[in-house]
Amino acid sequence: MRNQQQSVAVLVTLVVVVLLALGGGTVESHKDQPLSGIAIHETTFHLNDRAHVKASPTLLGSNGQHSELVLVEFTSPHPSDDDWVGVFSPADFKYILLLKHSFSLTLIRSLQFQYANFSNPRYNNTGTGSLKLQLINQRSDFSFALFSGGLLNPKLVAISNKVVFKNPNAPVYPRLALGKEWDTMTVTWTSGYGLDIAEPVVEWGVKGGERKLLPAGTLTFGRNTMCGAPARTVGWRDPGYIHTAFLKELWPNTKYTYRVGHRLTNDAFVWSKVYQFKSSPFPGQNSLQHVVIFGDMGKAEVDGSNEYNDFQRASLNTTKQLIKDLKKTDAVFHIGDICYANGYLSQWDQFIAQIEPIASTVPYMIASGNHERDWPDSGSFYQGLDSGGECGVPAETMFYVPAENRAKFWYKSDYGMFRFCVADTEHDWREGTEQYKFIEQCLASVDRKTQPWLIFLAHRVLGYSSTSFYAEEGSFGEPMGRESLQKLWQKYKVDIAIYGHAHNYERTCPVYQSVCTSDEKNNYKGTFNGTIHIVAGGAGAGLAEFSDLQPNWSMVRDYDYGFLKLTAVDYSNLLFEYKKSSDGRVHDSFKISRDYRDVLACAVDSCPATTLAS
């Protein structure tokens, strides 16, 4: 999202959103957090013997699962429309409230929120109701509390029993990523096991073959690494430990199995379930290769509970479609604005839980967006507040990318016939900068005989977009973006440039210097003459309007949710598809058919002005 995130004053770590029916309008992440309207620090105690909250089952994950529905039953002697139920973690939040100390209040961990009458239309008459809420393993216990008095004057009426996962420290939410070398796959996971308690390990091998044990590295981060509020104050939640192992010297296009775990001090092991993945083809390998790309997805709760970014409900549709098509997906690139935690760190756990079926099976590559990185005086190119004080730290730790320096989130990635050059729009990309030199080196170093498909990825629209906020600026893209980079795209014949940030879908003609270089619409053949620019920021976050003016270079626009799929058929044929998140059907597509000699041929500004022959 483009707009800057405002700091949140409320003293609670809560994933909250008021129901649209009660809130009166759409909630968007770039506005004040709805948390700022919940005065948890003003809570008063009105515990009533006739009010009850009961949660069952009390023990979760008995069969090794890391998410489970909990039935919450409650009774109030004085029910009203303002009553709400909060999910708190750790469970003993009542005692923190009793302290009434501002720092202590930041220790409160409420993860979900729902009005008492959400699924109980007769609640106001009967005073009884129930909710089914899904909890995920987040390394602590939980309790449920019933409040009256609404958001501004919360009165604590009743507290439930505790609910806990069988092993709160369990290894959870594995996520794969491509390594720096084509024959390396990395696996990252989260746990509650520090190195003083257990050694992180991966057991892996060719499917059906012998498995070997591999140690993993461990990272974490503390409150003081956050750059500001709310991440450093009310939004802080301990991230646990993040472990990464490097599975090297893989055979190309081969199925492997793995499980992540920990060797305890008594030499016993704690394991996840067994997962599998297919290793990458070697660079230039001629095989059918499918890559999914999108930006700005976010996360939402499958149980319908209202967390603060309720406007990201469509992310569940995108996730569902990706899982459905997983057998025909080889890699995923999520190009920025990952989960919109915006300084509320519990959201990262909830996001990686949502994508686990995808990220545990195929490499899940990310790029940096404004909601991961931007914060004043923190080194980001933009001085906004959009990261909520995270300034890139959670994203850089939770996910592995093959960058030389994780704080500089640009990198190249080779997958078979593809070369991906991934830029970091939250750092300066202009000519003469370190990143500009990287971009040119990435584009220039690929061998187009064996890797013909050259793709540029970035979060903000460095190319072309007719989204209203870009049109109002008159730039139709990020100011200074095209001016700095279009000569590189043209010189090195970038086939497609793809962006997020604008929450919609848009496709341009092959374009250079704002002029279409081809009249073709869907079947591009022969010599390269211009890069096709795509905006794919509609994976889940609230949609962005287009301008009334549609420039000549804008061929297709769609105000809806969706994602992209690139299929390299062979060295000469590439299929592009834009699919709707609602049903997975193709809404827009085109083909590129091009031989190596067509890549060699000169186009405008893609060859030297003079040669020895001339």
Side-chain angles (χ1 to χ4, degrees):
M1 289 291 294
R2 181 172 185 79
N3 305 65
Q4 296 178 346
Q5 179 66 40
Q6 301 297 317
S7 297
V8 179
V10 69
L11 293 171
V12 59
T13 302
L14 182 58
V15 190
V16 178
V17 149
V18 180
L19 280 170
L20 296 185
L22 295 170
T26 301
V27 178
E28 298 183 12
S29 72
H30 61 273
K31 296 181 179 178
D32 287 342
Q33 299 275 10
L35 297 176
S36 63
I38 302 175
I40 196 69
H41 56 292
E42 299 292 343
T43 299
T44 55
F45 288 82
H46 293 258
L47 298 173
N48 192 308
D49 291 339
R50 292 188 295 154
H52 303 280
V53 183
K54 178 185 176 183
S56 60
T58 57
L59 183 65
L60 308 179
S62 298
N63 298 319
Q65 67 270 41
H66 303 306
S67 66
E68 193 165 340
L69 283 172
V70 174
L71 176 64
V72 183
E73 301 170 289
F74 46 88
T75 301
S76 173
H78 307 292
S80 76
D81 286 337
D82 291 332
D83 293 357
W84 54 278
V85 174
V87 185
F88 288 82
S89 176
D92 292 329
F93 74 99
K94 179 181 71 172
Y95 303 104
I96 299 172
L97 281 171
L98 283 168
L99 294 174
K100 287 291 183 179
H101 186 277
S102 60
F103 177 78
S104 299
L105 285 168
T106 68
L107 300 175
I108 297 174
R109 300 287 177 260
S110 182
L111 306 178
Q112 291 167 242
F113 170 91
Q114 188 58 277
Y115 276 99
N117 60 7
F118 174 67
S119 58
N120 308 280
R122 291 181 50 80
Y123 171 74
N124 285 9
N125 297 324
T126 65
T128 61
S130 65
L131 295 167
K132 283 189 175 181
L133 299 174
Q134 180 169 282
L135 299 185
I136 66 167
N137 193 341
Q138 290 187 274
R139 303 170 303 282
S140 189
D141 53 8
F142 304 86
S143 64
F144 302 80
L146 177 64
F147 290 86
S148 64
L151 305 179
L152 296 179
N153 187 29
K155 299 178 177 65
L156 183 59
V157 177
I159 302 173
S160 77
N161 51 290
K162 292 182 182 180
V163 171
V164 66
F165 278 87
K166 184 177 181 180
N167 182 3
N169 293 325
V172 290
Y173 320 131
R175 40 218 186 261
L176 301 170
L178 300 172
K180 291 182 179 179
E181 303 297 330
W182 72 268
D183 61 351
T184 299
M185 186 74 75
T186 71
V187 56
T188 299
W189 72 97
T190 301
S191 84
Y193 290 112
L195 291 175
D196 58 333
I197 300 176
E199 175 190 6
V201 291
V202 176
E203 187 182 66
W204 69 288
V206 174
K207 187 175 182 180
E210 183 180 351
R211 296 187 195 176
K212 49 189 172 182
L213 209 60
L214 178 70
T218 298
L219 295 173
T220 189
F221 55 90
R223 184 195 299 264
N224 290 340
T225 62
M226 303 291 98
C227 291
R232 193 166 180 149
T233 57
V234 300
W236 171 253
R237 180 183 174 89
D238 190 293
Y241 298 94
I242 295 91
H243 316 280
T244 299
F246 296 82
L247 316 185
K248 297 182 177 182
E249 298 181 353
L250 305 177
W251 290 94
N253 270 353
T254 301
K255 288 186 177 180
Y256 287 82
T257 61
Y258 73 96
R259 58 178 178 171
V260 299
H262 298 265
R263 179 158 46 196
L264 305 178
T265 53
N266 63 359
D267 284 335
F269 285 89
V270 176
W271 291 112
S272 71
K273 71 177 185 179
V274 176
Y275 300 87
Q276 71 176 30
F277 68 88
K278 186 178 74 170
S279 58
S280 302
F282 63 80
Q285 183 170 338
N286 190 351
S287 61
L288 199 63
Q289 296 154 14
H290 307 281
V291 178
V292 169
I293 304 170
F294 55 84
D296 307 75
M297 185 165 77
K299 44 76 61 188
E301 296 295 335
V302 296
D303 59 18
S305 61
N306 296 292
E307 2 107 27
Y308 80 88
N309 273 341
D310 184 60
F311 88 129
Q312 293 164 13
R313 297 295 301 171
S315 68
L316 296 177
N317 289 337
T318 301
T319 303
K320 178 182 177 181
Q321 295 301 334
L322 296 182
I323 295 171
K324 186 177 179 181
D325 199 36
L326 204 51
K327 291 183 178 180
K328 295 182 180 180
T329 301
D330 296 312
V332 171
F333 283 83
H334 186 161
I335 50 176
D337 285 7
I338 307 301
C339 70
Y340 293 85
N342 298 351
Y344 288 81
L345 300 189
S346 65
Q347 296 303 278
W348 284 100
D349 281 325
Q350 295 182 349
F351 176 76
I352 58 179
Q354 177 174 308
I355 66 166
E356 181 194 23
I358 305 162
S360 62
T361 307
V362 300
Y364 197 99
M365 312 301 293
I366 69 167
S368 182
N370 50 304
H371 283 281
E372 286 75 58
R373 184 61 185 84
D374 289 3
W375 193 257
D377 302 318
S378 69
S380 57
F381 188 46
Y382 298 86
Q383 296 297 297
L385 304 173
D386 293 356
S387 77
E390 293 180 10
C391 54
V393 174
E396 295 161 9
T397 310
M398 292 281 187
F399 287 86
Y400 174 84
V401 298
E404 293 302 318
N405 181 340
R406 288 200 192 187
K408 299 172 181 176
F409 226 67
W410 55 78
Y411 61 94
K412 73 175 178 68
S413 194
D414 292 318
Y415 192 90
M417 293 177 283
F418 288 104
R419 160 66 63 89
F420 295 97
C421 297
V422 184
D424 178 357
T425 58
E426 310 316 300
H427 285 90
D428 197 348
W429 65 83
R430 293 173 297 179
E431 190 168 1
T433 63
E434 181 183 1
Q435 182 170 194
Y436 184 92
K437 294 175 183 176
F438 156 78
I439 293 171
E440 180 161 26
Q441 191 277 334
C442 183
L443 299 176
S445 61
V446 62
D447 181 357
R448 300 296 287 274
K449 291 192 299 294
T450 57
Q451 290 181 281
W453 308 117
L454 183 54
I455 312 297
F456 178 82
L457 302 178
H459 176 62
R460 294 177 187 259
V461 182
L462 300 180
Y464 298 82
S465 169
S466 63
T467 300
S468 57
F469 59 73
Y470 279 133
E472 289 166 4
E473 290 181 345
S475 57
F476 289 93
E478 206 64 39
M480 302 178 287
R482 294 193 300 273
E483 289 81 350
S484 298
L485 296 173
Q486 63 182 339
K487 62 183 179 182
L488 295 184
W489 298 327
Q490 192 73 5
K491 178 179 180 180
Y492 297 108
K493 303 181 176 70
V494 173
D495 295 297
I496 306 173
I498 302 172
Y499 318 98
H501 198 58
H503 297 177
N504 50 45
Y505 169 77
E506 186 167 18
R507 169 164 71 97
T508 74
C509 58
V511 59
Y512 180 52
Q513 295 182 338
S514 301
V515 177
C516 290
T517 57
S518 171
D519 294 329
E520 179 55 49
K521 306 295 184 185
N522 300 101
N523 194 5
Y524 301 100
K525 295 181 178 180
T527 304
F528 169 91
N529 48 28
T531 299
I532 297 171
H533 293 260
I534 306 291
V535 173
L543 296 171
E545 298 279 356
F546 288 105
S547 67
D548 293 333
L549 172 66
Q550 185 168 1
N552 292 333
W553 43 256
S554 176
M555 289 185 57
V556 181
R557 304 198 300 189
D558 187 39
Y559 180 78
D560 202 355
Y561 298 101
F563 55 95
L564 311 181
K565 188 173 187 179
L566 301 183
T567 301
V569 179
D570 52 35
Y571 294 126
S572 299
N573 295 282
L574 177 71
L575 173 64
F576 170 98
E577 296 173 302
Y578 162 62
K579 296 185 175 187
K580 296 272 196 179
S581 296
S582 56
D583 57 14
R585 294 183 180 180
V586 176
H587 182 72
D588 183 36
S589 66
F590 64 83
K591 296 179 181 179
I592 300 176
S593 300
R594 185 178 296 139
D595 292 329
Y596 180 55
R597 65 181 180 181
D598 298 319
V599 177
L600 292 175
C602 290
V604 175
D605 289 349
S606 67
C607 290
T610 58
T611 66
L612 290 175
S614 64

